[in-house]
Amino acid sequence: MNIAFVLLTRGCDESGGVERAIAALADSLREIGHRAVLIAGGPPGVEEERDLVLLTSLRFDGLPRLFEDPEPVCREVREILTVHDIDVVCWADAVAGLGFLSPAAPGVRTALMVRNLRMDDHMRHSLAQRPDAVLAVSPFLIDEAAQAGMDTTGWHALPDALPRAGRAPGREERERLRRTGAVRIVTRADPAKGIMELLDALPESFGRPVQLVLAETGLEPPPEVQADVVKAVRSRAAVFPNVEVLPGLPWLEAQPFLAEAAVTLVPSTRPETFNDGVVASLSVGTPVVGYDFGHLPLLVGGAGRLVPLDALSPMRRQPLLTGRTLEAVDFTSSGTRLWRTAAELLDNAVAYHAAAAQALHQAADHSSTAVAERFLRITNGSVTTDGW
């Protein structure tokens, strides 16, 4: 089968999840005998990438022109799909993936990727194009869309694939890490990732080394916001002798880095629709500690610990879901519980090794082959109900 992925901002080692997802899925499809073509507008420097077709009618930084006059890029995409005899085209985003235009050639099946809940006109236009399948990154996202009143008929969960199999430390090495290893965090320079709240909550008595990889991305949030986050985090971390802030890693180095962690922390203060860092950690047997909301409960399962959150109301306490109730949460206070929970897990050898063993099982469904095969089943119409 010939498959095309459209993402104007294509860059395989970007810190944005969609970039990694497309790279891993395309490679996985090739490994099991299919052809995967990437249609992009850049950025510069990726021209030599395998099966990459760069648009001539629109560059990655030319989105305003796309809205002013979409016909040239629509025409070019249709021509590319025809020339490469594409069977399935996947719009990797409502805007940057051209989902709102859906310029498919006749007879080509279409799929729309959705990674975050959005209710704007571009999303509505994308769905109005009636793609043959909508590929949401998690069941949590599908549930959120349904609760928001969207028609999720034809939506299926397709998680991100691991770029490669991880190598987990043996039992003896894992025990050494439990006793003396560093707590590690791999995240983007985004205020919603909760790094400042986590550092504000770090107890003086926490004796472990803490290593934080803070990556800047070419996508959202705006560069100036990311720069402010990096500056603030480095300033706050300098107060603690045991905290080290590291620059972003090439994505293929994330698994080895997390394999050498005692535990991985996920302090996001907004519900995660997915989290590639969590899957990378699980794939190398490193337990995860995070907040009990979003997709994390299903993703982590028994492979770590999840800290429950409560939203405060004048009359009573109620379970925290999403939306405006998040504003009522003191994440500095919750961050204290996150550190305490991590310490408790590390102090309990039996619970820790059980979580490490479960981590490998949790990651199994995210292998590159499993995700590629599910993509094919969904896009050829053989998956009618979602049982992921």
Side-chain angles (χ1 to χ4, degrees):
M1 183 180 291
N2 295 331
I3 301 133
F5 295 94
V6 179
L7 183 61
L8 297 181
T9 55
R10 174 80 200 104
C12 64
D13 206 35
E14 262 287 352
S15 298
V18 66
E19 302 280 342
R20 296 194 301 265
I22 295 301
L25 180 54
D27 285 344
S28 303
L29 289 166
R30 293 164 184 147
E31 288 172 2
I32 60 176
H34 301 275
R35 184 170 180 232
V37 175
L38 306 173
I39 301 174
V46 298
E47 287 83 352
E48 300 304 317
E49 189 175 341
R50 179 181 178 184
D51 283 327
L52 177 69
V53 179
L54 289 180
L55 296 170
T56 60
S57 57
L58 184 73
R59 300 301 290 177
F60 77 104
D61 54 356
L63 282 179
R65 288 197 299 111
L66 176 64
F67 304 129
E68 294 166 4
D69 183 15
E71 185 51 35
V73 71
C74 288
R75 183 169 55 249
E76 184 179 8
V77 169
R78 292 190 193 101
E79 290 173 355
I80 292 169
L81 299 179
T82 300
V83 168
H84 290 272
D85 195 23
I86 297 299
D87 302 296
V88 176
V89 59
C90 180
W91 319 119
D93 180 73
V95 177
L98 303 185
F100 78 107
L101 296 171
S102 191
V108 177
R109 291 180 62 82
T110 61
L112 172 69
M113 280 190 168
V114 181
R115 302 188 64 81
N116 294 290
L117 182 61
R118 53 190 296 175
M119 308 289 290
D120 58 16
D121 287 342
H122 297 306
M123 185 63 179
R124 283 190 283 270
H125 290 158
S126 297
L127 295 174
Q129 300 287 352
R130 301 184 65 83
D132 293 297
V134 177
L135 308 176
V137 75
S138 66
F140 168 74
L141 180 54
I142 297 176
D143 290 343
E144 288 287 286
Q147 290 182 39
M150 300 176 73
D151 181 4
T152 56
T153 304
W155 288 44
H156 302 275
L158 183 79
D160 289 351
L162 286 161
R164 63 183 179 190
R167 296 183 62 181
R171 171 80 182 208
E172 186 175 322
E173 175 63 11
R174 179 55 65 192
E175 173 61 14
R176 183 192 68 78
L177 291 169
R178 182 190 73 83
R179 291 176 178 273
T180 62
V183 171
R184 289 180 168 175
I185 305 113
V186 175
T187 190
R188 293 186 287 112
D190 184 333
K193 294 301 181 180
I195 300 303
M196 285 301 295
E197 292 87 347
L198 184 70
L199 292 177
D200 286 341
L202 178 59
E204 292 183 5
S205 59
F206 195 84
R208 296 275 183 143
V210 177
Q211 296 175 324
L212 165 64
V213 169
L214 193 59
E216 295 182 74
T217 170
L219 305 175
E220 297 180 348
E224 60 273 16
V225 173
Q226 297 185 59
D228 287 344
V229 170
V230 172
K231 182 179 178 180
V233 168
R234 288 190 176 278
S235 176
R236 188 72 181 95
V239 175
F240 302 101
N242 59 329
V243 176
E244 182 180 12
V245 181
L246 304 171
L249 288 171
W251 182 238
L252 290 179
E253 294 180 17
Q255 284 170 294
F257 178 77
L258 293 173
E260 297 175 357
V263 70
T264 297
L265 289 189
V266 184
S268 297
T269 57
R270 288 292 182 269
E272 297 270 13
T273 58
F274 198 77
N275 190 297
D276 291 294
V278 168
V279 177
S281 180
L282 299 176
S283 73
V284 290
T286 300
V288 172
V289 176
Y291 293 123
D292 190 15
F293 66 164
H295 185 51
L296 255 61
L298 183 60
L299 197 57
V300 175
R305 293 291 184 269
L306 296 172
V307 175
L309 294 170
D310 291 304
L312 300 178
S313 69
M315 301 297 294
R316 60 188 174 88
R317 296 171 71 85
Q318 58 187 9
L320 173 68
L321 296 175
T322 57
R324 293 184 177 179
T325 55
L326 288 168
E327 299 172 2
V329 176
D330 181 349
F331 277 101
T332 298
S333 173
S334 300
T336 300
R337 296 167 67 186
L338 207 65
W339 289 114
R340 184 170 64 243
T341 300
E344 290 170 353
L345 178 61
L346 291 168
D347 287 342
N348 186 331
V350 173
Y352 178 86
H353 286 288
Q358 180 61 29
L360 301 178
H361 294 290
Q362 292 292 120
D365 285 341
H366 299 85
S367 71
S368 59
T369 299
V371 174
E373 290 177 345
R374 179 168 174 78
F375 172 88
L376 293 171
R377 291 196 302 272
I378 293 171
T379 55
N380 69 21
S382 61
V383 175
T384 55
T385 58
D386 203 333
W388 186 268

